[in-house]
Each structure stands twice: as structure tokens, then as C-alpha cells.
Amino acid sequence: MKRQKYNPSVIEPKWQEKWEADRLYHAEEDAGRPKFYFLTMLPYTSGDLHIGHWYAMAPSDAKARYLRMKGYNVMFPVGFDAFGLPAENAAINHGIHPHKWTMANIERMRGQLRSMGAMWDWEREAVTADPDYYKWSQWFFLKFYQHDLAYRSMAPVDWCPNCNTTLAREQVWGEDRHCERCGTPVIKKDLEQWFFRITKYADELLDFGKIDWPERVVTMQTNWIGRSEGVTFDLGIKGSPKRIPVFTTRPDTVFGMTFAVLAPEHPLVAELTTDEHRAAVEDYRQRARRLSEIERLSTEREREGVFIGSYAINPMNEEQVPLYIADYVLMTYGTGAIMGVPGHDERDFDFAERNGLPIPVVIAPAGWDGQPLEAAYLDEGTMVNSGRFDGLPSSEGWEAITDDMETRGVGHREVQYRLHDWLISRQRYWGAPIPMIYCGQCGIVPVPEDQLPVLLPEDAEFRPTGESPLKYHEGFLHTTCPQCDGPARRETDTMDTFMCSSWYHMRYTSPGYDKGPIDPARYQYWRPVDQYTGGIEHATMHLLYTRFFTKACRDIGILDHDEPMLRLFNQGIILGEDNEKMSKSRGNVVNPDDFVQSMGADTTRAYLMFIGPWDAGGPWSSRGIEGVYRFFQRAWDVALAKPKSFAEQASANEVAALRRITHKTIRKVTDDMEAFRFNTMIAALMEFNNYLVKARQTPVVHTDAWREAVRTLILLLAPTAPHLAEELWQRIGGTYSVHTQPWPEWDEDAAADEMVTLVVQVNGKVRDRLPVAVGTSEEEARDLALGSSKVQRHTAKKNVVKVIYVPDEVINIVVK
RNA sequence: GCCGAAGUGGCGGAACGGUAUACGCGGCGGUCUCAAAAACCGCUGGGGGUAAACCCUGUGUGGGUUCGAAUCCCACCUUCGGCACCA
């Protein structure tokens, strides 16, 4: 009779069904056990599950399973980010309703996700496009509105002409300022839109003290928030009582101001432009405006500008300087106006050169000879040409000038941020309607809570026109004012989907709860997320928004903690076999279903973990995956193949050696699991297995140590290859389920080496390797080393100057 | 331009300042077979030497620190990622 071979296509579906029938992975609150909330960023309902999803999820699942075996009550939920432009665009292209399209995708993806054999608790699934879900997204919006964290404002906003909607600043990427979704360069539009006051939390968002996140994300968020300390002070205007506030981080350079610049859109431009310059100014403003509406491809833009005829007055020395407009000054940062200090600012330097303006030095670099400098000097130095501040180090001048301005009431210390408020309005159909009503009598009126959800009408025409499709749905648009019962109109824009994904981790704790977004008691048990995993691309979008959301909810009184996710791990990107990003046009897309079918989910999961460091990503290899498949086949044989009989007994040494590698492997695998080093973890399991393949041909195969080794191998494999481990566990007579077994512990004594290889060096070069007992003394090691003929060859006729001995590692003999 | 990360065999990648290249892929040789595939066993950085012993050399480049450097320091080169008129 032939022994059964490893056959994943039989065992994988079998165990998946059993696990589901047994609700093996359903997590309930249990005050008696430490909880662990393990979360992977929820997938977008784009269609098929691709290998990138597997790369993000399979290692997460392995880690979550490991933590469960370690004794934690682990919650590992999954759901779908189901609203958004791609769904809508795809639906339009296929002539299907977005709802239908999305739900069909979800159905398909559920099946594909199940094929992974992950321990998701499907009873907690959330779909952001379900009315039960977006009702609470709307509820949060109302809370934010009540607490002055949501406001409506007319502002120049980013508009994607392809997606036909506004975007948040975080969704505009790259040098050419393109749409994060479709790549089209965005344009500016002046529109009345809804914003969330994320800037109120700028300083708190810069504090990462309560979370353990990758340095990379911390840096990106810090740069994105862009905090600058400086001074806002007023420039006077010759012949006018008006003042122009300007912001600077270098008040110490104020005596070097030789001009001032307003942004072209600055509100004072019209008033301060003299008649003789009006035509040129108007012309420039038109051009600047058009420039922002066409592609901005030139990186080295000339710093042009035009004089508007007025003069600004420097409040420190009452000097008059010409006032310009130039598009290198942005209306969206600071006050939209600057002092021009060409001696100590690169942009101002270029501008002054171009316009023939003087470039005085007011901060002298060390050893300055009094001559003009060739470029703007940006560092600290000694103040010169600065009146009574001359001779001060610039850092002291900074404080002295600022104090002077504050005393005289012309300026004050101020902090500016690059971060803008979060624009959440979208002029598209497939999103959660913003629950607001506009009444001719009462103005802006929130939809009362008991009228939520504001349902998305199924029968709307959802083609993108640049305005919300809901605007043309009469039944949706017209309503009555909740305050005066008079005729009123609904807000027709929908919410940014990042609003929906800012709180999905909260919803998982309380599936189906209908008295609020979360059941406080259940939330209390699970919160916060202990470990979050997902792609780095969300560093300044989702990961920033959800932190803001948590802090806002805390201040409103909905939550009692400051941060949503304590630890974060960003996996890398899986590339095609050609080492390029996967794309249909390149034809290098890997379909996980193919490999699941031929080699199994366990193999596919394990191979993805084996490729390299998880945060590094790397190229897929269809040859490489076969190595993992072979490994599992050999593991199957190691555990199940009938051993030979031996006349002799295993020696104590053989048994000790087997136990040593068993316990060393437990230690290595545990350490690597903890540190997300899945690639070396699997390498250690392979080494262990290779050892067992050989040991199986010796008498140790009939010892308790062997049974311990096999049992250990299966347990250590369980997080990585859950089906294989369950099958082997059952076949060796283990009690169901392997996934509820405790994680093995290693015995330091059993893992300890008796002998080590002592590396013998002469002048740092390896000359010999000697087997020695652990803990060999220096004298003994020295005698052994000096006695080695290989060493003597290099020490002959030379004097031993020094011997460095690192016990159990190396002995280095220094000769001259 | 600024900030960050990384450069190791033919390939993916291992290496608390202490045996460079673990583990896997590929390649070469062998066992089995009529043959092939699969499986199994052995070898596999480069150069010299006789495929032994042994010697030299080698972790992007050039310096430095150290008994000893892939690892630490300095400079540079390259690649990738982020930001980019942010005053």
C-alpha cells in the first residue's frame, strides 16, 4: 500500500471548512485572558485579490496565529473598504451600478480570502458601504460639526479633472501634483467645501511618544505637518494706513529686506497697485492663474514677478522697499506675503538678481571680508548692517528682534504648519452622503441623529459631471428643514472614503451594534489596536487621518484614548519576476489563485514570507516557491514516513544533539516571530527539517527526543502553514486543534552547546578552526592555538605580541 | 535641492564588531531509469595550485578607527522612497 503524499488541494479546503464550522477563530471578550487586537489594513473592493493582498495579509495572519498560541485572546478581523472612486469608475465603464459591482467583488474576494486559510473572524466583518456602517460615518460627521471640528468654507482646492472631484491635499502627489488615484495632474478651483479641523491637532499629531511606529512613517508625518516657528509682523505701506502681515522664521535677517512680495491672489493687491502698473499687474495675475491651471511640469521655474507701484515699510528701520507680486509666494502658506531678504534666502536671492535689487549682507559668516557674497548665506553668523543689533550672534538677534517687535506691538511669535485642514467633500455618487441640509430660512442645519442614515438613492444617475450626481436626483435633493419644516435642500456631496476608513477598527469591536458606532463595553475590552500592518503609501493619508479621528473622538467624549494603533509594521511591495512593479501592461502580474491551486495556500503564504525581509518587499519567483513546496513535502515525510528498524540504540550524544537543535530552533523561531523576521524564521525551520531528514535514518528516530522534535516542528509550522500543521498534528495523534495548542517553550539547557568551533586568527586572519568545549579557559585556548601547525606556520620566527581571546568565539594571536 | 533607506555569489537573500555568503533558487557531477521527469546524494564567490594540502583575494568606491570591519566613523558614487518655491 502506498503511503499518502502531501496533497494541499485535499487538506486545505477540508480544514477550512472544519475551522469555520467550529468557529475556531471567533474571538469573544474574555476578561480572564490578555487581549491582542491584531489588524491588517482592510482591502479595497477593487475586484480580484492579487498577490499584493497576500503579501500584506499572510504574514500578518501568521503573526496573529503565533500570538494566539502564546496565550493571547487574539482578535483578527477583516472587512471591506467599499466606497470610492475606483468602484464608481469601474462600474461606469462596465455599465453596472456601483453597488452591484462592489457587492459582487466583495463576494468574490471573500472566497479568495478564505482560500488563504487565515484566522479572520468573519463574524466581525464590516463593509463601509453598508447603510448600517455609513450611518455611523454620518453620525461622526455630525459630532464633529457639533464640536466645531467640521466646517464649510470657500477655498482654493485641488480638483482632479479626470475623477471630476475635489481631493484632499494628501491625495495630491508628486512633482506634477497629480491625483493619487488616477495620476492626472490636478488643478485649482475655488469651491465651497467641507473641511475637518485637523490643523487643530497639528502639535499633538507631532507627538509620537505613545506609539511605536516605524521611523519612516514618523518622519513622513512630521514633514507633512511641517511645523515652523517664527514671527508674524506687519509691514507698513507708504501713504496708506494699511498693514501687510508677513511671516518669517528668520527675524534676525529683517534688516536685510530690500523688497517685499505678495502672492498674486493676495487680497490687497488690487488696492495697492498704482494706476501706471495696473495693466502689467493684471496681466501677471492672469498668467499666474492660468499657470496653476495647466500642467506644471517645469521644475526650474524662473522667479519672476512685477512691481505694483507701492512701497512697504520695514518696521525695524522705517526703510521703504518696493512691493512686488510673484508666484513663488503662496497664498496658502503663512500670510501670503513675505519680506524679501536676498542676502539670506535662496529664492529671494534669485528674485533680486533677476530684478536688479540690492543684496546686502546682514548675517556675516565666520571670516567674512565685507564683500558681497556670491549666494544667499543661510546659516547662523554675526549680525551686521543691523543697527543696534550689530555684533550679536544671529541666534541672539533672533530673540532680541522678536522681543523688540512684540514690545512695540508690530509683531508676535507664531507657529506655522504646512498641514492644511482635511477637505472631505467629494462630488461623486459612491460615498456616504454628508448629512447636512441647507434651508433658506435657517441656513446650514444638520440632519437630526434619529433621521440617519441619509441613504444613498439607488436610482441616481451616477455619471461624473463635475458636480455631485445627487444634485440631479430630485427625490434626494429636496427635503424639509428639520428646524422650520420649510422647503430645503440636502448637501449633495459625499464624504472622502478616508473618513470611512478612519474608524473601521472601532466598528470591528462591536459588529451589528445599533445604538452607536461602538458598544462601549466591548470597545473598552479590545481598544486600542495592538498591532497594525499595512502599506507605507498611507503614511500621510489614512495613518494621519485615523490618528486625528481618534484624538477628535477623545475630545468629544466618544473615546478614552489618544492613539488608535500602538504598533505599526509596513510591509514592502511584492514585485514581478522581472523585478519591476506588477502591471497588466508589463504582463508580469502574478495571480495567487494559480499557485494556491498547484502548490497550495500554505506554500504560497510561506514563500511570500521567505522571499526576504517583510518590510523590504521583493521580486516574486515561480522557481523559488518550489523550494518551499519541497520543504513541506519533506516535512510531511519526516513526520509521517515509517522509520527503519535499527539493531542498536541511539547514543546519548545523538539524542542530546537532536534535542539541542530542537530547542535552538524554538528559540530562533520565537525570536524571529517576535521581530517579524519571517524569512530567517522559515530558513531556521528548513534547517531543522533538513537535520530531521538525516536523523530519521539513524536510531534516534525511535527515541522520545524524536517525537518531541516532530511535535515541535509541527507546532512551529502552525502559524506559517496552518493546514499542513493541522493535518500532521491530527495524523501524529494530537488533539484538535493544533492552533489552540500552546506555543512551545525552549529549554536553555537543552539548547546549550557543549562544543563550539574556536576560530583561530593570526594578525586578524583566520588560520585554523578548533573544536573546543564551551567555556574553555584562555590559557587552554592559547596553548591549543599556539600548538596548531596551521598557526605555527604563520607565527614561526615571530614574536607573539598580544593574544585576544573572546571565549567560545575567537582567539587572535598578534605577532610581529 | 532637502530628508530618509539601501548597495553582499549567477539570482532572492543570511551574518550581537569575531568562521562572509546561512536558507532557498539556479548551475555542475552522481544514484535510480531503456530514457526523461521527479526524488535522493555530493560540489558550487574569484584567482593560483594538481578539483589534495596550501596561498592570495573578495561585501558599491576611497580613506580611517580596531587585535579584528559587510557591520563603527569620514568623503564620494549609485539605486529606491518621500517632500519640494512652506518664507
Side-chain angles (χ1 to χ4, degrees):
Chain A
M1 194 180 76
K2 242 190 136 206
R3 189 172 42 85
Q4 199 188 321
K5 300 267 290 181
Y6 172 48
N7 188 349
S9 61
V10 173
I11 65 170
E12 290 183 352
K14 179 183 81 181
W15 288 115
Q16 284 165 21
E17 271 175 45
K18 174 145 177 69
W19 293 334
E20 187 157 355
D22 297 341
R23 300 175 76 210
L24 188 65
Y25 304 124
H26 177 60
E28 278 297 332
E29 295 73 49
D30 177 355
R33 279 196 298 158
K35 68 93 186 180
F36 199 103
Y37 187 173
F38 199 113
L39 184 64
T40 296
M41 287 182 190
L42 84 178
Y44 187 75
T45 54
S46 52
D48 274 307
L49 206 67
H50 56 78
I51 198 77
H53 288 118
W54 276 70
Y55 194 63
M57 295 169 167
S60 295
D61 177 58
K63 179 78 185 253
R65 286 176 175 277
Y66 159 76
L67 290 164
R68 180 177 151 137
M69 291 175 80
K70 286 288 277 188
Y72 289 101
N73 184 21
V74 177
M75 186 204 346
F76 188 57
V78 69
F80 295 94
D81 184 19
F83 270 141
L85 301 183
E88 197 172 338
N89 290 338
I92 290 163
N93 293 336
H94 295 97
I96 314 168
H97 193 279
H99 181 264
K100 198 174 165 192
W101 189 85
T102 301
M103 293 307 152
N105 281 346
I106 289 176
E107 204 42 51
R108 182 182 179 81
M109 290 171 83
R110 279 188 190 123
Q112 290 172 313
L113 285 166
R114 282 196 163 88
S115 78
M116 198 182 290
M119 57 173 264
W120 283 306
D121 182 355
W122 287 96
E123 293 174 42
R124 294 179 181 274
E125 186 201 64
V127 176
T128 61
D130 279 348
D132 300 359
Y133 186 91
Y134 71 72
K135 169 181 179 175
W136 301 112
S137 298
Q138 293 173 338
W139 181 88
F140 279 115
F141 181 96
L142 294 178
K143 292 289 168 195
F144 283 22
Y145 180 73
Q146 283 162 20
H147 289 80
D148 193 35
L149 291 170
Y151 65 94
R152 191 167 160 80
S153 164
M154 172 68 91
V157 294
D158 294 305
W159 176 271
C160 173
N162 183 49
C163 296
N164 264 308
T165 184
T166 52
L167 300 172
R169 264 178 62 94
E170 287 77 14
Q171 289 171 288
V172 179
W173 285 15
E175 209 176 301
D176 58 345
R177 295 183 48 76
H178 63 260
C179 168
E180 168 256 335
R181 281 288 183 194
C182 73
T184 310
V186 302
I187 60 176
K188 284 275 181 204
K189 275 197 178 184
D190 287 317
L191 288 172
E192 184 132 344
Q193 302 278 284
W194 284 98
F195 293 87
F196 283 161
R197 231 180 266 287
I198 190 171
T199 52
K200 188 180 166 192
Y201 292 89
D203 276 321
E204 202 190 337
L205 288 167
L206 284 168
D207 177 6
F208 297 88
K210 289 175 180 160
I211 50 180
D212 180 12
W213 282 20
E215 206 47 48
R216 202 160 41 139
V217 176
V218 170
T219 304
M220 282 169 77
Q221 292 200 349
T222 303
N223 291 343
W224 187 259
I225 294 165
R227 185 179 200 275
S228 296
E229 287 182 21
V231 177
T232 297
F233 68 95
D234 288 341
L235 299 178
I237 294 163
K238 185 185 172 190
S240 163
K242 291 269 179 191
R243 295 279 178 273
I244 303 172
V246 295
F247 175 74
T248 180
T249 55
R250 292 296 299 267
D252 50 319
T253 67
V254 67
F255 284 87
M257 174 167 79
T258 57
F259 60 97
V261 189
L262 302 176
E265 319 89 292
H266 197 284
L268 285 176
V269 172
E271 186 180 338
L272 298 180
T273 302
T274 57
D275 288 339
E276 58 179 314
H277 292 93
R278 199 165 297 281
V281 166
E282 259 325 297
D283 181 54
Y284 183 83
R285 291 180 80 181
Q286 288 298 325
R287 268 190 294 143
R289 182 157 189 83
R290 206 163 331 125
L291 203 64
S292 66
E293 287 182 9
I294 56 174
E295 291 183 29
R296 305 172 169 213
L297 287 176
S298 90
T299 36
E300 274 307 307
R301 296 249 314 284
E302 298 282 358
R303 281 190 243 287
E304 288 190 331
V306 291
F307 177 48
I308 67 170
S310 290
Y311 291 84
I313 300 165
N314 183 338
M316 293 308 292
N317 58 11
E318 301 304 319
E319 271 180 28
Q320 297 177 9
V321 298
L323 191 54
Y324 286 77
I325 58 169
D327 67 359
Y328 81 91
V329 176
L330 309 175
M331 198 57 225
T332 50
Y333 183 80
T335 61
I338 60 154
M339 63 172 187
V341 183
H344 307 285
D345 181 283
E346 242 170 61
R347 295 152 301 177
D348 295 347
F349 181 87
D350 287 353
F351 188 84
E353 280 214 311
R354 225 187 135 71
N355 294 282
L357 294 157
I359 306 176
V361 172
V362 292
I363 305 293
W368 182 52
D369 59 4
Q371 294 302 302
L373 301 172
E374 278 177 31
Y377 178 75
L378 302 154
D379 287 332
E380 299 202 346
T382 306
M383 296 185 62
V384 294
N385 299 323
S386 299
R388 62 191 173 88
F389 299 96
D390 278 358
L392 282 179
S394 53
S395 55
E396 285 177 33
W398 200 108
E399 300 293 340
I401 287 177
T402 304
D403 288 345
D404 183 73
M405 285 178 172
E406 288 190 334
T407 309
R408 290 166 41 221
V410 296
H412 58 276
R413 286 175 166 80
E414 193 163 293
V415 176
Q416 287 286 342
Y417 301 92
R418 223 187 65 108
L419 182 73
H420 285 49
D421 277 338
W422 175 13
L423 192 170
I424 62 136
S425 302
R426 296 292 179 274
Q427 293 69 46
R428 294 295 296 250
Y429 167 76
W430 192 232
I434 295 172
M436 299 302 274
I437 289 169
Y438 302 101
C439 169
Q441 298 301 311
C442 313
I444 298 177
V445 183
V447 173
E449 269 181 44
D450 58 12
Q451 289 177 26
L452 296 182
V454 176
L455 282 172
L456 202 55
E458 293 262 331
D459 57 348
E461 176 68 46
F462 50 79
R463 281 169 199 287
T465 59
E467 286 186 301
S468 171
L470 298 178
K471 219 172 195 167
Y472 303 101
H473 190 283
E474 298 292 319
F476 180 87
L477 180 65
H478 299 294
T479 186
T480 51
C481 172
Q483 275 179 20
C484 70
D485 263 346
R489 304 172 50 172
R490 284 192 189 279
E491 166 67 61
T492 54
D493 285 350
T494 52
M495 289 184 222
D496 181 3
T497 53
F498 281 117
M499 164 78 186
C500 306
S501 57
S502 289
W503 70 280
Y504 76 104
H505 59 284
M506 294 162 59
R507 187 64 180 172
Y508 285 150
T509 66
S510 320
Y513 189 67
D514 62 2
K515 294 177 186 65
I518 48 168
D519 178 338
R522 301 183 78 186
Y523 186 77
Q524 196 68 14
Y525 177 78
W526 291 110
R527 65 97 177 104
V529 173
D530 295 285
Q531 177 70 57
Y532 199 33
T533 66
I536 186 80
E537 67 274 15
H538 288 294
T540 57
M541 298 195 294
H542 165 62
L543 290 171
L544 191 60
Y545 296 144
T546 191
R547 291 183 67 216
F548 153 70
F549 202 96
T550 302
K551 294 172 196 303
C553 285
R554 175 202 59 200
D555 289 349
I556 292 169
I558 301 166
L559 303 181
D560 67 345
H561 58 109
D562 304 314
E563 295 281 357
M565 295 108 186
L566 297 183
R567 278 176 295 272
L568 172 69
F569 192 96
N570 296 115
Q571 80 276 357
I573 296 170
I574 187 90
L575 304 170
E577 300 218 40
D578 54 1
N579 226 321
E580 299 285 342
K581 220 175 155 175
M582 285 191 204
S583 73
K584 278 183 189 145
S585 57
R586 277 205 188 85
N588 62 351
V589 176
V590 172
N591 178 7
D593 297 354
D594 297 343
F595 291 92
V596 172
Q597 214 160 39
S598 59
M599 283 178 265
D602 285 340
T603 298
T604 308
R605 294 163 57 107
Y607 175 62
L608 288 167
M609 293 163 70
F610 182 62
I611 288 176
W614 194 30
D615 53 356
W620 173 268
S621 162
S622 47
R623 300 301 291 267
I625 190 175
E626 288 179 28
V628 174
Y629 190 48
R630 282 179 209 134
F631 161 47
F632 285 165
Q633 286 171 317
R634 283 195 293 265
W636 177 277
D637 289 342
V638 159
L640 302 179
K642 195 172 184 299
K644 283 193 271 191
S645 296
F646 295 90
E648 71 275 31
Q649 295 256 305
S651 72
N653 269 346
E654 286 174 315
V655 170
L658 178 59
R659 293 206 72 218
R660 191 173 304 125
I661 189 167
T662 301
H663 287 266
K664 274 182 163 182
T665 303
I666 297 172
R667 184 170 61 194
K668 170 73 175 158
V669 168
T670 305
D671 287 351
D672 282 351
M673 251 316 173
E674 287 292 337
F676 295 90
R677 287 190 299 255
F678 303 122
N679 56 329
T680 50
M681 174 193 79
I682 292 177
L685 287 170
M686 286 172 166
E687 272 183 87
F688 183 36
N689 193 56
N690 290 344
Y691 185 93
L692 296 182
V693 166
K694 288 200 171 76
R696 212 171 60 82
Q697 306 299 325
T698 72
V700 284
V701 74
H702 295 293
T703 62
D704 284 343
W706 175 262
R707 287 179 279 277
E708 180 196 29
V710 168
R711 207 183 126 83
T712 300
L713 176 69
I714 295 169
L715 290 170
L716 296 181
L717 273 171
T720 306
H723 313 86
L724 170 64
E726 189 79 284
E727 181 74 18
L728 293 178
W729 188 250
Q730 186 195 46
R731 286 176 183 244
I732 67 161
T735 47
Y736 178 80
S737 157
V738 72
H739 302 297
T740 53
Q741 302 303 312
W743 186 251
E745 309 243 351
W746 72 91
D747 175 341
E748 277 301 346
D749 291 338
D753 284 309
E754 284 171 14
M755 299 293 288
V756 289
T757 303
L758 183 69
V759 174
V760 184
Q761 299 178 336
V762 177
N763 288 349
K765 279 191 200 285
V766 178
R767 296 301 178 186
D768 202 359
R769 299 178 173 97
L770 301 170
V772 298
V774 165
T776 296
S777 71
E778 174 154 7
E779 295 87 292
E780 204 180 329
R782 184 190 169 112
D783 290 348
L784 278 169
L786 290 172
S788 156
S789 59
K790 292 176 183 179
V791 170
Q792 284 168 355
R793 200 175 303 147
H794 298 276
T795 54
K797 297 180 199 152
K798 288 177 179 163
N799 296 320
V800 174
V801 179
K802 195 174 179 184
V803 174
I804 285 102
Y805 180 54
V806 182
D808 305 336
E809 298 257 6
V810 69
I811 184 161
N812 189 10
I813 297 157
V814 185
V815 295
K816 225 179 195 169

